[in-house]
């Protein structure tokens, strides 16, 4: 893994950082690279409130905030920015406002690497709007000044359209941190952990490969 000057991570929801990039972030931190995670919302419109309910619409943001802080701690992120946009409304925010927000973060932090979603291949409208803002902000920069952009993609057709991931990172030494980041988001991951924890314990081949391998696509600017 290259030693980066600074890594800026931009995702819209608490838990977006846990599944596909937390091991990589822990590896960067162990490598001495500062990380800033800009999380745009607190996921307050999440539909799963439990049965019986563990939260109300009013209490859910507080729960998600605590979980996000716990996940950041598990990964080792010390610069967590909670930007207080409303969940499920990022797609309706003004494009220029969102672009300028990302530009301001890049200007402040001068990252050599930005991590976000791949536009067109991240399924959720908030993911897509976030990805587009990140691409627009970096696209506006002079090509010699642009940070690298590594994207997470998982739409059904992503490999047919953008090819296989060009970056595969084995995060096995940081798997416990990744598991703890996923566990931190218990209000969203309890159902998944119920299935995955026994498989991890048993060393299930597919479950361990998913846990240990994080995939990124380098965004190619035109």
């Amino acid at each position: 893994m290259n030693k980066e000057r600074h890594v800026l991570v931009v995702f819209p929801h608490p838990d977006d950082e846990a599944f596909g990039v937390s091991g990589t972030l822990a590896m960067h931190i162990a490598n001495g690279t500062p990380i800033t995670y800009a999380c745009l919302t607190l996921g307050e419109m999440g539909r799963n409130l439990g049965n019986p309910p563990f939260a109300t619409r009013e209490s859910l943001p507080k729960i998600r905030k605590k979980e996000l802080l716990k996940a950041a701690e598990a990964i080792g992120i010390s610069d967590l920015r909670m930007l207080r946009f409303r969940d499920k409304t990022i797609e309706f925010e003004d494009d220029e406002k969102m672009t300028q927000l990302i530009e301001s973060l890049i200007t402040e932090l001068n990252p050599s690497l930005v991590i976000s979603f791949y536009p067109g291949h991240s399924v959720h409208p908030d993911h897509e709007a976030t990805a587009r803002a990140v691409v627009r902000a970096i696209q506006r920069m002079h090509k010699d000044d642009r940070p690298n952009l590594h994207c997470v993609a998982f739409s059904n057709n992503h490999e047919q359209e953008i090819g296989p991931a060009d970056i595969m990172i084995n995060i096995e030494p940081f798997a416990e941190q990744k598991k703890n980041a996923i566990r931190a988001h218990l209000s969203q991951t309890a159902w998944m952990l119920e299935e995955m924890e026994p498989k991890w314990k048993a060393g299930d081949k597919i479950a361990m490969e998913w846990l240990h391998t994080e995939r990124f696509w380098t965004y190619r600017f035109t």
Side-chain angles (χ1 to χ4, degrees), residues 118-212:
Y118 201 114
H121 297 285
S122 51
V123 180
H124 189 289
D126 280 353
H127 297 177
E128 296 291 349
T130 301
R132 291 194 299 270
V134 169
V135 167
R136 282 196 303 269
I138 298 176
Q139 181 87 57
R140 287 181 179 181
M141 300 173 68
H142 188 283
K143 63 180 182 180
D144 294 337
D145 297 329
R146 290 172 184 158
N148 290 320
L149 175 57
H150 292 175
C151 299
V152 176
F154 55 92
S155 62
N156 287 337
N157 62 342
H158 65 281
E159 288 211 353
Q160 287 82 3
E161 296 193 2
I162 59 175
D166 60 315
I167 300 170
M168 308 266 285
I169 300 178
N170 182 345
I171 61 89
E172 185 171 356
F174 303 91
E176 284 305 311
Q177 284 173 265
K178 180 172 182 174
K179 286 194 278 188
N180 287 334
I182 296 170
R183 289 165 180 152
H185 292 291
L186 192 61
S187 71
Q188 302 185 80
T189 59
W191 61 271
M192 171 206 174
L193 289 169
E194 186 175 351
E195 176 184 351
M196 296 302 289
E197 294 273 18
K199 291 183 178 179
W200 291 335
K201 188 174 182 179
D204 178 89
K205 184 178 178 181
I206 294 174
M208 300 310 287
E209 182 179 351
W210 178 87
L211 178 67
H212 292 159

Side-chain angles (χ1 to χ4, degrees), residues 63-131:
I63 293 171
R64 294 283 167 82
K65 181 179 179 180
K66 287 181 181 177
E67 291 177 343
L68 178 59
L69 288 166
K70 190 174 180 180
E73 182 180 7
I75 298 168
I77 297 171
S78 57
D79 186 11
L80 170 63
R81 314 275 181 102
M82 290 182 267
L83 300 185
R84 301 185 180 281
F85 287 89
R86 187 166 179 77
D87 187 22
K88 295 188 177 178
T89 68
I90 303 299
E91 63 177 316
F92 304 114
E93 293 287 347
D94 178 72
D95 284 350
E96 184 60 25
K97 172 185 172 182
M98 298 306 299
T99 304
Q100 290 184 8
L101 170 70
I102 306 303
E103 286 179 324
S104 69
L105 288 167
I106 292 173
T107 299
E108 174 194 345
L109 301 166
N110 190 24
S112 52
L113 173 64
V114 177
I115 294 175
S116 190
F117 287 118
Y118 201 114
H121 297 285
S122 51
V123 180
H124 189 289
D126 280 353
H127 297 177
E128 296 291 349
T130 301

